Amino acid sequence: MTTALEVRNLSVEITRHGHTIRPVDDVSLSVDAGDCLGLVGESGAGKSMTLKAILGLLPKGARVTSGELLLHTAEGTLASIDPISVRGHGISMVFQEPMTALNPTRRVVDIIADGARAHRDMSKSEAHETAVRLLGEVGVPAPERRARAWPHQLSGGLRQRVMIAMALATEPDVLLCDEPTTALDVTVQDQILGLLDRIRRERGLSIIFVTHDLAVIGQVAQEVAVMYAGRVVETGPVRPVLDRSLHPYTNALVTSIPHVDIGTDQRLRTIEGAPPDPANFPPGCRFSPRCPFAQPDCTRAEHVLVEQATDHRTACIHPEALASISVEGSP
Amino acid sequence: MGRFGFVLRRILGAIPLLIGITLFTFILLQLVPGDPALTLAGPRATEERVEAIREELGLDRSLPAQYVAYVGNLLQGNLGQSIRSKEPVTSIIRERTPVTVWLLGAALILSVSIAVPLGAHAARHRGGWIDHAIRVVSTFFLTMPPFWVGLMLLLVFALGAGWFPVGGFGETTAERLRAIALPAFTLALWIFPIQLQSFRSSMIDVDGSDYLQAGRSIGLEGLTLFRRYILRNATAAMVTLLAVQMGFMLFGAVIVETTFNLNGLGDAMVRAVSGRDFAVVQGITIVFAVAVIAINLLADVIVAALDPRVEIQ
Ligand SMILES: Nc1ncnc2c1ncn2[C@@H]1O[C@H](COP(=O)(O)OP(=O)(O)OP(=O)(O)O)[C@@H](O)[C@H]1O
Ligand SMILES: [Mg+2]
């Protein structure tokens, strides 16, 4: 498998009122060509920040303090690139809120055509045709008519399709999706997931899919990276990570997925406590204060991802504690 | 329903407002103490002379009859005549309107040219010292009364440096621009602070918006990003504000025209009020009211054209 995109040792710092926090701390990710990498974690884990750093879209005050971005080139090698240069050329992004991520004063067709023309020189009418064709491809009914619409005239699901068409217009190799279905209701959510999966296969696109919902990861991703408090704590192929988690945090996430077969008397388990504030990350393993398997040495643990099974890495220094309990059948 | 229907309905909708304004100006002048006929006739006039004037002005009739006669004349484009100069009010208005239009137009252009770049700059450096400095300066001008600012400008640049005439208008465009410069600048200094704060917050909204990030994410930048993603989104609020400010600007024109001895509508208004020339006061009030209504209507049309979310219905 060739690697489409690799993020190496990315750190993001934010300085505000003299205090510096590091919401993304030494994060490395890689996604293979044509694959979908799921990036999961609770709110505040630094998922969006990681994606934004890849495109150089960090908010005011935030900056990348270390890290390297490598993109697969036409020559077949990985080349280090600058985030701003990949906008419109290689990487594009689908945002979480379709209600606010489309320019309200621009027609749908122009929004998409902008992307096509940003990617390569083409005439207005050519860009227009491309936009209408893309609207059809992402499943917008009556694309010629809908092309003339303003964003506010469309439903949330249609807007997200337009957003996807906008991202595809730049003919990216890698699509970054930041919780693209969180704002949608469940049936529409399924349709959008299906659409993303289809365009990934048809176009040989690589996707990094951010979500806090492991059930969604199981649906769309081949690989997964679990983030906690600014760090990646577990990575690997989807099934092993979900079925035989090697990190108590992943395990806790897995057991909190609502299953249809959970009896009414069995309360849905959620993770005890709240994720830590980036201004106040605990020492050692950052999950240790909430971890049911924590040992005294966890607070001194160095953060290293160790391969425990094929391609399956964990930062937990006591993965054997988890292995001793059966994950399966204990929701 | 198209734009034409929208405009038509808004114009029809303005009719009750106009009726209200005629009633208001009519009643207001009834409340002004003193008898215009007595004032006009002078202290040594005979009883008969005063009666004759009263009859001439229609002041002997009942109030409703006076009002109906007034509105009837108005509908025929007859605003009555000045009791001072005997000139028809319409010709006074026609003569004086250009000065006020020049003044307000120049003030508007000047104020926007101060507010937009400074507002954009403050937004870009929000929270920084530049932002604070701009806020302090604009608040200072907001609290300065325009007659005082006008007087200072007059002292320094007209009387002192002699760069501008001390008063009066002109014939050629160049003369007029020179004559209008200081009064327009005075007005602009008075109204730009609110425009600046409004534009600053619009720019901050756009800057923090998801759609701008999305625009950037596909590789839009520089002028293209500004034209397609920022301009329209940041200006709609400004257009509405400018229309609202028109009312203030007319009030400002009254002050500034007096300060700079410009023979505009504001100046005519002041003279008419102090001379109890109520036909002129009523006439100018109505012109002001119609202007404000028309400009607000125009602003609504522009905003609807700028922002598709504003439904024209
Ligand atoms: N503009 C900002 N200024 C300061 N801190 C910020 C800013 N944006 C985000 N943060 C902090 O950075 C951390 C990571 O935020 P991020 O948005 O990446 O989280 P996330 O994993 O995407 O969460 P969510 O699921 O809620 O989207 C959070 O703790 C957040 O409080
Ligand atoms: Mg997020």
Side-chain angles (χ1 to χ4, degrees), chain A residues 143-207:
Chain A
E144 285 89 1
R145 189 167 56 79
R146 283 282 169 39
R148 299 274 309 148
W150 299 101
H152 75 275
Q153 295 168 326
L154 304 177
S155 67
L158 280 184
R159 284 191 217 190
Q160 199 54 294
R161 287 175 196 270
V162 170
M163 186 83 233
I164 293 169
M166 176 186 183
L168 291 181
T170 66
E171 296 178 24
D173 302 314
V174 181
L175 192 61
L176 309 177
C177 299
D178 192 357
E179 309 201 31
T181 59
T182 310
L184 307 172
D185 63 47
V186 186
T187 43
V188 182
Q189 187 169 333
D190 276 346
Q191 291 169 8
I192 298 291
L193 292 178
L195 168 67
L196 285 170
D197 204 47
R198 195 191 85 215
I199 55 174
R200 179 184 61 79
R201 281 183 281 107
E202 285 176 2
R203 291 177 164 250
L205 203 62
S206 308
I207 294 180

Side-chain angles (χ1 to χ4, degrees), chain A residues 14 16 21 23 42-49 59 179 212 278:
Chain A
I14 302 179
R16 200 163 271 187
I21 57 168
E42 280 168 294
S43 190
K47 309 180 296 291
S48 299
M49 216 49 107
E179 309 201 31
H212 54 253

